[in-house]
Amino acid sequence: MKQFQYQRASTQQSVLDAISKPGTKIIAGGTNLVDHMKHGIIAPDKLVDITHLPLKGITPTKTGIHLGTLALNSAVAEDALVLQKQPLISMALRAGSSQQLRNMATVGGNIMQRTRCTYFYDTTMPCNKREPGTGCGALEGYNRMHAIFGASDKCIAVHPSDMCVALAALGASVIVVGKKGQRLIPFNEFHRLPDDHPELDNHLAKDEMIIGVDIPDNNFAKNSYYLKVRDRQSYAFALVSVAAALELSGTTIKKARLAMGGVAHKPWRLFEAEKFMEGKPVSEDTFKQAAQIAMQGAKAYENNAFKLKLAPASIVEALKHAAGIV
Amino acid sequence: MPTRYINRSTLQHSNIPTIPPLQQQMNKLNHPKSSTGPSRVDGRLKVTGAAKYSAEYELSGLVYGVLVGSTITKGVIKSIDTQKALRAPGVLAVITHFNTPVVPGYVPEKGKPEPEKSPLRVFYDDKIVFNGQPIALVIADTFERAQFAGSLVKAEYTEDKHITRLTDHLDKGFTPGEMFGMTPEYSRGTVAAWNTAPVKLEQEYIIPSEVHNPMELHACIARWDAENKFTVWTKTQGVKETQNELAAFFKLPPENIQVNSKFVGGAFGSALQVWSHEVAAVIGAKVVKRPVKLLLSRQDMFTSVGYRPHTWQKIGIGATADGKLVGITHNAVGQTSAYEDFAEFPTGVSRYLYACPNVDTHYKIVSLNVGSPIWMRGPGEATGTFALESAIDELSYQLNIDPIELRMKNYAETDPQSNKPYSSKFLNEAYKMGAEHIGWSERSAKPGSVTKDGLLVGYGVSGGVFSADREPATVKATMMADGMLVLQTAVSDIGPGTGTAMVAVAAETMGIPAEKVRFDLGDSSYPNAPQQGGSTIASSVGSAVYMACTDLKEKFQQLIGNGGKDQPDYVKVLKEHNLNKLEVVTDSKAGSEVDKYQMYSWSVHFVVVHVHPATGVVKVDKVACVADSGRIISPKTARSQIIGGAVMGIGMALTEEAVYDHRYGRLVNSNFVDYHVPVNADIPQIEALFVNKPDPIINPIGAKGMGEISLIGMAAAVANAVYNATGKRIRTLPITPDKLVEWDVVS
Amino acid sequence: MEKEKNHSRPVEESDVKDNSRRDFLKKSALMTAVALTPVAAARAAEMHMDERLAQVFEKMPLHLEINGVAHNLMVEPRSTLLDILREQLDLTGTKKGCDMGQCGACTVHVDGHRVNSCLTLGIMVNGKKVTTIEGLAKGDQLHPMQEAFLKHDGFQCGYCTPGQIMSAVACVREGHANSEHEIREYMSGNICRCGAYPNIVNAIQEVKEGGMAI
């Protein structure tokens, strides 16, 4: 790891001042950034430590819940308000990582975490995300973990977060602040697809920082489920994950929310499938049809064709759990 | 009083079995709980963090070495730019093949050509033979600085075309030489008789490369103590072997090299030889004239210290309609490196596990541009048993005979290969114990027919076997004036609890409390002991401890002169005779019994799996493992060893696979994120059961090894259970969800 | 107790390979020390300048209370808590198994919470309380979790054990030891290659059911 300068920020403004200079990165939990620095993926000249800013709160708002960007993943997962109103988020968080890492990782860091693509991590390999123009190692390489939706020939990596899949499903917003002030980015518009610029994970401007997330109130609490399918029972990234949330009226689906992880460069919200389910009866058949709609446009590569089966199977399974018909 | 040197290599076995206190615990020992029996003698050091592993010695002037690996797979180094690294803060040296001091043992003797094959000679020349091969050693005053400087070293290469995919090159297989008395080619009876049998099958079984991945990273601290003397603190399964190998590399008398390995944080075979990083540390220490600590990264652990080789196997097996085996043909092709011929004979198990008249086996290896493999827990047999015991299971469904019954019908009462009697074999009892414990009668013979809470339920079984050996070992036993018995021998303990078991043997033999026994190990200056590999330590060192204690007792009896009627009060006798200690050094080794008997340890693994029908996720729900490995000396640690092997077997079955990107010849999952070893959530309660009948032949304590058999067969048991649950036969490990997932399109 | 300890080893004159570095102090006469940021110092060192000077500016003061003992250290910002413990303070009970947050061998408590010390920059926990495996026992009296690991043989080789025990203590304190299933899930961040998982679960259950304040 290259030597760097360290600054502990005491105000938001000092963070914004610091990141306006090239080579400066924000550090909070550090679980992703320190890992990247150890791997030589990035080598910042300066780190600005934001963990002493008062942005840890998990608080009720008029319209929902606010998660401060520094709220720890473990704290959010076990917060009484979150468990009561947005259990899907807790389920997703607990499906990710280990308790030790959740004790370090923050909400903002989770949103900002970068792909676990092996070609991104290995600096001897080509990777357009790490080093634009070097090519995509995964495209014709080992791509078992890779995207089936929204990939480009520049990058087929997936976003690794579980929490973000739940936040995408629940229509959360990311609150960011920059020199020009504060703005709200709908969760589904925060992360990008790779297109021609896989080096950009999201739409956060270089001089902006995340200060929190707002999750709107909903009626999904009783019928939410996060399913994560992975190569071992815990402490592994998803082959496929599904966040499913239903609002039921008797046995009829009033509202549905569905998003997938492990399938795209961003948390993959399934709007069409959601729309299809609304007004339909709760049944395995409804869910299977929704899954088929969800899979439209999916494209597999040499090693991940199984996701074309695993993804719809997981959608059905998650929806059945959410609806309580398992 | 001078030390009496007793050589009792031709041991009389009339006194077997004779350790009475253990008999009383017999029932408990058949099925111990995690809390049964004495705890580990070194446990307190381990739970307090006081146990020191190789990288943890704080030496005066210690500096840090970091290896830089090749980024190509085959070719030659054109140049290495070390200037930036040399200018980085704290850097003391950058060693490459351009500037390394000569390792004398690397150089062929005068007039002799370069050897065609040899262990990797680090920094010897410009040749690259695998991706990740060390090309430079950077030494700096702190770890951080060494690591950063390492990232500044850049090499240029001329690249050659490489081959790394075994299954594309099976035709390049060649027959390796004989090893441990095993021949790669074998047949008895009629070749391909299986094909004439009324019921038969022929299938291919593939295991990927699996990596030992002990939790402790391989590490070596090297310090030159004089011009021709050095000391290493290193991770090794045998301090004497390490001493001898280093002596050969550096052309020094072995006694000039002190090897310390007091605590070893797991190894499973990966520390059975001296690796290039250890030689590099010694070179580095010579260059900077300070002790050098060299710690491998987890990534290095996948490339530089061996692995279980990717192996393709094909089995043809046939039986009569009533389930008598007619013939087995077993072919195997495994991978090795381009610079060493590594062989482990996975086909061996087909020759001797069952009474089968017609057997032929062939084993070949293919040289690939990869690092060399090394023995990994249950070497050969673990691989071979996955194929054979899967095939037997497949056959049982074709025959519609219960898999246990099929195995009993072909039970070998004498060794089918040599026709010699077994020293002991209670495998049939093991099957009974395990079947009862797992509830085998609940198993449905129809695959995919049982569900519980929406999950498919399946039962699987497999046998396991590994050679039971006894190697020469020497123990020095000293009774101190204060009544403390000190035992010394140059064995390592990589985790099974060797010290604990040896203390138990000594305490019982001497008739003193375990607290009064100290067992010293991991020091090359102690008397000779074998490497901790191949499940030989309990048998070899245990016998040596027993015999040394017997000798010491005899020496006390001689002092007393009462004809050995009473248990002597050792402290009193020493005091009366004005002695501050009494000491023996006893040699122990196998005798002619090895010519008369065939000796094996046996195991049976029973597994219940739950398979999620939609996603193909497999969860092991229940495990019962039975060991027939002679007398159980230390119930607590024996149980843990069986459980540990089962866990590693579950990893082999369900999660572990080292993956290459063959375009680059480079591993793409050399980390714990992408290479999945089992975690706690993958593992249910595992029952360890012991037949616990002493082997009356193999050695004076009646104990046989269990490190290998604890794993051998486990992967087949899981795969067989998955078949029973789903009707899907997975013949390529690991059984990940992608291989089982189902999705039916609805209209 | 206040303890001054810094084990980093200064580079000796004899180690300096490049004479030009020795001239750095002369060359840098025009440079004021305060203007030298650590990064500038690092660059200076890369450019043949004196590494001893660079070293001074690369380091920052770090105050930590480790196992009840105060430590005032000078560390590079890039030094992880794990390397500070193991290489500077000789607290080698905390283990390095992967150095990348993938195995849990390095688990320690920071202000009572279990974290991976390999991904924790030391400088970021300035002023906090760190507990390592060495700080768990009270003198000769083992912590109940240590006793339970001994009794149930929750290890073989012992290398992951300190991390397992630190994690296990936290698991009980957090309230995540209410069932075998929950224990397994919340202990899955600690890999044990010897496969002692069932014994680890038994040990934790015993402590949990014993109801002792830990």
Side-chain angles (χ1 to χ4, degrees), chain B residues 40 44 64 91 636 640, chain C residues 17 87 140 151 153 157 199:
Chain B
R40 286 171 194 263
R44 199 181 167 91
Y64 296 79
V91 172
K636 186 172 281 189
S640 292
Chain C
K17 305 160 298 300
E87 307 301 339
D140 277 349
K151 177 178 169 190
D153 213 32
C157 79
N199 297 352

Side-chain angles (χ1 to χ4, degrees), chain B residues 480-494:
Chain B
M480 310 300 289
D482 62 358
M484 196 72 191
L485 175 69
V486 178
L487 304 164
Q488 291 185 328
T489 185
V491 69
S492 295
D493 181 359
I494 59 174

Side-chain angles (χ1 to χ4, degrees), chain B residues 123-457:
Chain B
F123 312 141
Y124 181 68
D125 56 22
D126 59 357
K127 288 187 186 60
I128 297 299
V129 289
F130 66 91
N131 204 310
Q133 175 187 332
I135 60 163
L137 170 66
V138 179
I139 301 171
D141 60 343
T142 70
F143 170 68
E144 291 88 344
R145 290 170 152 201
Q147 207 177 37
F148 173 63
S151 73
L152 302 175
V153 174
K154 300 288 175 219
E156 282 190 41
Y157 307 91
T158 307
E159 234 180 310
D160 285 344
K161 201 163 172 263
H162 61 261
I163 58 166
T164 53
R165 196 199 303 264
L166 173 74
T167 47
D168 286 352
H169 301 282
L170 294 175
D171 58 333
K172 293 194 178 72
F174 61 94
T175 305
E178 195 172 312
M179 200 182 273
F180 303 128
M182 288 281 279
T183 51
E185 302 286 310
Y186 170 86
S187 78
R188 66 171 177 260
T190 310
V191 171
W194 70 272
N195 205 17
T196 64
V199 182
K200 63 185 179 184
L201 64 96
E202 186 179 36
Q203 290 294 351
E204 291 179 15
Y205 303 89
I206 295 173
I207 68 149
S209 290
E210 249 193 293
V211 187
H212 308 70
N213 271 318
M215 293 314 295
E216 183 202 13
L217 300 164
H218 277 249
C220 179
I221 299 176
R223 182 186 69 194
W224 283 83
D225 303 312
E227 188 54 39
N228 60 355
K229 276 186 176 174
F230 65 82
T231 302
V232 292
W233 290 259
T234 195
K235 182 188 187 85
T236 173
Q237 292 173 246
V239 287
K240 289 284 191 187
E241 279 73 9
T242 295
Q243 182 187 42
N244 288 329
E245 285 179 44
L246 286 172
F249 284 135
F250 289 93
K251 292 216 165 149
L252 291 172
E255 59 273 19
N256 285 21
I257 298 164
Q258 171 65 33
V259 180
N260 300 318
S261 200
K262 290 284 176 191
F263 285 92
V264 180
F268 316 108
S270 66
L272 282 168
Q273 70 171 60
V274 167
W275 297 103
S276 58
H277 69 274
E278 294 168 289
V279 177
V282 177
I283 295 172
K286 183 103 187 174
V287 170
V288 300
K289 300 185 173 67
R290 287 165 78 162
V292 169
K293 181 197 289 194
L294 204 165
L295 182 75
L296 291 190
S297 67
R298 184 53 63 182
Q299 187 180 8
D300 296 333
M301 296 283 287
F302 284 77
T303 54
S304 296
V305 290
Y307 55 91
R308 190 196 303 283
H310 184 21
T311 304
W312 170 94
Q313 298 178 81
K314 191 176 203 173
I315 286 195
I317 189 165
T320 60
D322 64 350
K324 273 301 237 188
L325 288 177
V326 171
I328 303 172
T329 296
H330 188 165
N331 282 282
V333 184
Q335 78 178 41
T336 186
S337 67
Y339 55 94
E340 276 179 296
D341 293 348
F342 173 82
E344 60 170 13
F345 305 102
T347 53
V349 66
S350 288
R351 306 174 190 175
Y352 63 80
L353 188 54
Y354 294 108
C356 178
N358 306 297
V359 173
D360 71 305
T361 72
H362 309 273
Y363 171 52
K364 289 184 161 63
I365 52 177
V366 178
S367 294
L368 301 176
N369 304 116
V370 296
S372 292
I374 188 79
W375 299 282
M376 178 169 169
R377 201 170 198 170
E381 270 76 359
T383 303
T385 303
F386 167 62
L388 178 64
E389 288 290 86
S390 291
I392 289 280
D393 196 66
E394 296 201 45
L395 191 63
S396 78
Y397 286 93
Q398 280 194 27
L399 289 161
N400 200 22
I401 295 176
D402 180 279
I404 298 176
E405 196 190 330
L406 178 60
R407 286 172 171 90
M408 290 305 121
K409 276 182 188 256
N410 296 285
Y411 195 76
E413 296 290 356
T414 56
D415 182 54
Q417 224 180 323
S418 64
N419 294 318
K420 286 181 201 168
Y422 293 117
S423 60
S424 70
K425 180 181 181 181
F426 305 102
L427 182 60
N428 47 2
E429 288 184 38
Y431 270 101
K432 272 189 205 132
M433 287 170 75
E436 195 177 313
H437 200 89
I438 203 82
W440 186 254
S441 55
E442 304 289 308
R443 168 186 175 270
S444 164
K446 194 175 168 223
S449 63
V450 181
T451 56
K452 189 185 162 195
D453 302 331
L455 299 170
L456 294 160
V457 180

Side-chain angles (χ1 to χ4, degrees), chain A residues 118-119 122 137 232-233 292, chain B residues 661 663 666 668 677 682 746:
Chain A
T118 179
Y119 297 92
D122 186 342
R232 61 184 175 194
Q233 298 283 326
Q292 263 170 231
Chain B
D661 183 327
R663 298 171 302 167
R666 189 169 170 90
V668 292
V677 303
D682 292 301
V746 286

Side-chain angles (χ1 to χ4, degrees), chain B residues 601-654:
Chain B
S601 283
W602 312 88
S603 63
V604 189
H605 304 276
F606 285 88
V607 172
V608 179
V609 297
H610 289 171
V611 182
H612 190 261
T615 58
V617 171
V618 178
K619 174 92 172 79
V620 177
D621 181 57
K622 234 172 136 181
V623 179
C625 300
V626 196
D628 168 20
S629 57
R631 176 199 302 283
I632 299 307
I633 296 169
S634 167
K636 186 172 281 189
T637 55
R639 179 183 171 281
S640 292
Q641 210 177 352
I642 292 296
I643 289 172
V647 171
M648 199 173 267
I650 290 171
M652 180 182 179
L654 297 181

Side-chain angles (χ1 to χ4, degrees), chain A residues 118-150:
Chain A
T118 179
Y119 297 92
F120 174 72
Y121 264 84
D122 186 342
T123 54
T124 73
M125 295 280 201
C127 173
N128 287 323
K129 183 179 279 296
R130 177 172 30 79
E131 216 180 323
T134 55
C136 173
L139 195 62
E140 287 170 4
Y142 184 68
N143 44 37
R144 181 170 177 268
M145 301 298 288
H146 289 73
I148 52 171
F149 291 111

